[in-house]
Amino acid sequence: MLKIQYLVSGGVITNYKCSSKCKHCCYSSSPKWPNDYMTPSLADEIFAVLKRLGCDAIHIGGGEPLLQPDKIMSVVEAAHRNSIGIEYIETNASWYKDAASAKAVLKELKDHGINTLLISMDPYHNEYIPFWKVKGLIQACSDVKMNVFPWQMEFWDEIDALDDQKTHSLEEYIRLYGQDYPVRLMGRYGLNLKGRAFMTYRPFMKKQPVDQILKESKPCRLLSGIYHFHVDLYGNFIPQSCPGFSIPLKELENGTDPDRYRLFNSVESVGIKGLFELAEKEYGYMPKNEYAGKCDLCYDIRNHLVLELGLDLPDLKPEGHYKYI
């Protein structure tokens, strides 16, 4: 059976809809996603399971969780009911309009026991969010004594060198800091190269023959990892390393039949070769000659199943991960 008996650290994705479509986003969040948000009842269910599995604290992210600040409060309340601490809430500051309205939201968060905001600041976000919003939100946090976890502060001077009233494309950063800036940026940020982040950096990666990738196939045990997992608003357990693969958390707690989640199980237990052989035999998948590694091949197979064949497969959820990349 596929089963998880213990979880250490992770987060809750309250929504995938976002004000941005950042090039580094491994979850493929964007404005195109439906305006769905985690319900209070599902939040209760998720936090109860997490507590039973030994996870005492989580962070909240998205998408942009503060696009709907009224709805995040019920999620926070559900965490408290289940004795789950909230380490921080992630935000890109896009919702900031002025000090007064921002401080009203921050004060309500503090009243609900939230003490820290992780505020994104990097060239990826700056393509969509002018830096004055980030500065304004940081000042508002200071005014109400809300802690700020800046992610990442090392980019401050580079962003601040440009007009903070405007957004700036990655091409502008390249002109200012050099042609190799995107690659250096990837290393400095510490990206998880999945989802849209993988599509962004795929052209920079060395290609390998498909036969070589299959020959080197090993089980991908990170799919059942207990660190930096996420649970999304649909109740899916999102592995720490691979968004787009999922199993309902409540099923993983009790153990679920691997035959129902054959794609997930094939990668977790055999590796990319297992997924390839399954897709080739049962879904008529035909590979290209070369790929930028096993993850590129894996995404090509999954895109074939979800986008080309239009299949509704339980372990390739949510479909928006592929549709809105």
Side-chain angles (χ1 to χ4, degrees):
M1 290 192 302
L2 294 167
K3 187 173 183 178
I4 287 180
Q5 297 176 309
Y6 185 68
L7 289 172
V8 177
S9 62
V12 163
I13 297 172
T14 56
N15 59 320
Y16 285 108
K17 191 177 184 69
C18 191
S19 49
S20 307
K21 189 180 178 181
C22 295
K23 289 182 173 67
H24 74 309
C25 184
C26 65
Y27 297 103
S28 302
S29 298
S30 85
K32 291 185 177 180
W33 280 81
N35 206 29
D36 298 343
Y37 207 94
M38 182 174 284
T39 64
S41 59
L42 183 59
D44 258 318
E45 180 182 297
I46 288 169
F47 290 130
V49 174
L50 292 178
K51 189 67 178 178
R52 288 196 295 270
L53 291 175
C55 184
D56 295 321
I58 54 93
H59 62 269
I60 291 178
E64 173 48 57
L66 287 170
L67 286 179
Q68 300 185 68
D70 55 325
K71 292 187 177 181
I72 200 172
M73 303 303 171
S74 62
V75 175
V76 172
E77 290 167 359
H80 292 331
R81 282 194 297 273
N82 290 277
S83 301
I84 296 285
I86 296 176
E87 297 162 332
Y88 53 84
I89 294 175
E90 299 175 354
T91 182
N92 61 24
S94 62
W95 54 276
Y96 180 89
K97 295 181 178 65
D98 55 65
S101 61
K103 284 192 276 191
V105 172
L106 296 174
K107 287 176 181 176
E108 188 171 4
L109 288 172
K110 282 180 66 73
D111 289 343
H112 280 76
I114 303 300
N115 297 309
T116 304
L117 286 192
L118 182 154
I119 302 178
S120 297
M121 54 184 78
D122 52 71
Y124 302 113
H125 282 92
N126 193 223
E127 288 202 275
Y128 296 90
I129 302 154
F131 206 37
W132 72 266
K133 286 179 175 280
V134 174
K135 293 176 178 178
L137 183 55
I138 290 173
Q139 183 59 55
C141 287
S142 177
D143 292 343
V144 302
K145 295 181 170 53
M146 172 75 76
N147 296 325
V148 171
F149 178 5
W151 189 258
Q152 297 184 26
M153 195 66 189
E154 74 167 270
F155 296 117
W156 182 283
D157 290 342
E158 290 165 37
I159 304 169
D160 204 33
L162 300 168
D163 184 351
D164 69 2
Q165 297 299 305
K166 300 178 181 178
T167 57
H168 300 281
S169 68
L170 205 54
E171 286 70 27
E172 290 181 74
Y173 281 91
I174 291 171
R175 287 197 294 269
L176 190 60
Y177 298 114
Q179 284 295 321
D180 64 341
Y181 187 77
V183 174
R184 289 188 285 116
L185 184 60
M186 173 184 66
R188 292 166 63 199
Y189 194 93
L191 291 187
N192 176 15
L193 288 180
K194 302 296 189 296
R196 194 178 302 119
F198 187 85
M199 296 300 105
T200 297
Y201 283 98
R202 184 182 182 275
F204 298 96
M205 301 170 71
K206 183 180 179 181
K207 306 299 188 292
Q208 297 175 271
V210 66
D211 291 343
Q212 180 183 345
I213 295 170
L214 296 174
K215 183 179 179 181
E216 297 172 355
S217 175
K218 295 179 181 179
C220 190
R221 299 300 187 189
L222 287 175
L223 286 182
S224 53
I226 61 177
Y227 296 94
H228 209 71
F229 64 88
H230 285 82
V231 184
D232 74 8
L233 62 151
Y234 306 116
N236 299 314
F237 175 84
I238 310 296
Q240 66 185 55
S241 62
C242 205
F245 271 123
S246 63
I247 295 179
L249 178 66
K250 62 181 180 182
E251 293 187 35
L252 276 174
E253 180 190 20
N254 298 315
T256 189
D257 184 354
D259 288 336
R260 173 167 168 74
Y261 301 99
R262 293 186 303 154
L263 305 175
F264 187 107
N265 184 54
S266 67
V267 178
E268 199 269 343
S269 61
V270 178
I272 187 61
K273 185 176 181 180
L275 178 63
F276 174 83
E277 291 177 346
L278 190 158
E280 185 181 44
K281 179 181 178 181
E282 299 194 23
Y283 299 107
Y285 174 72
M286 297 179 65
K288 302 181 183 71
N289 292 327
E290 59 180 18
Y291 292 90
K294 62 180 181 180
C295 294
D296 191 18
L297 175 57
C298 185
Y299 262 114
D300 194 51
I301 294 170
R302 289 188 272 155
N303 284 328
H304 172 72
L305 300 177
V306 176
L307 302 180
E308 295 178 30
L309 300 185
L311 299 177
D312 182 11
L313 298 167
D315 35 7
L316 297 186
K317 300 291 183 182
E319 292 95 337
H321 181 77
Y322 306 97
K323 292 179 180 178
Y324 306 126
I325 196 163

